[in-house]
Amino acid sequence: MTNPVTLPFSPIRIIDGVAYLSGEVPFEADGSFAESITQQTDTMLGRVKARLEENGIRMRDVFSCTVYLTDKAYFAEFNQAYARWFSAPLPVRTTVCAGMMVDGAAMEISVIARVPA
């Protein structure tokens, strides 16, 4: 999986059995962003899932997420969509309201996961 923009950082690093996934934004295949928060959430977490699976990691291995939303008004709709992607035990999560570096993105997420033995 590639990012539409080449930036000077690794998309994922695996160190001592722990995977650190750089911030993923909800780019569609054509580089655009969906209008709805639900669709942006699903696209973003689909990108996370694909990046993890490329490295033999599953969503259930995620234990920490940091989420950035551009508007706190998105929180409830984001939460509903986010909840469909994880099951117990749920990852810990921090959600912050912040500006985005990529115009059109309503959110970004970084993830930490264990690498299965």
Side-chain angles (χ1 to χ4, degrees):
M1 171 177 287
T2 60
N3 284 327
V5 178
T6 301
L7 297 171
F9 59 81
S10 298
I12 189 169
R13 290 284 311 270
I14 298 173
I15 302 168
D16 296 330
V18 179
Y20 300 87
L21 181 64
S22 291
E24 282 286 348
V25 294
F27 287 111
E28 296 293 334
D30 65 1
S32 68
F33 296 96
E35 292 293 320
S36 83
I37 297 305
T38 296
Q39 190 173 349
Q40 281 202 30
T41 303
D42 288 339
T43 298
M44 179 179 69
L45 290 171
R47 291 176 60 81
V48 166
K49 183 177 188 243
R51 177 89 60 205
L52 292 173
E53 287 177 348
E54 288 173 354
N55 291 277
I57 305 164
R58 300 159 304 222
M59 291 296 277
R60 70 175 178 239
D61 298 315
V62 172
F63 62 84
S64 180
C65 298
T66 302
V67 176
Y68 304 90
L69 298 175
T70 59
D71 190 323
K72 66 183 179 180
Y74 300 155
F75 187 73
E77 186 177 349
F78 166 78
N79 249 356
Q80 283 187 317
Y82 174 94
R84 294 192 313 267
W85 287 86
F86 296 100
S87 57
L90 296 171
V92 299
R93 188 181 90 193
T94 300
T95 306
V96 178
C97 189
M100 293 293 119
M101 296 303 294
V102 180
D103 290 336
M107 63 193 66
E108 184 170 349
I109 189 170
S110 63
V111 169
I112 302 173
R114 75 176 188 86
V115 178

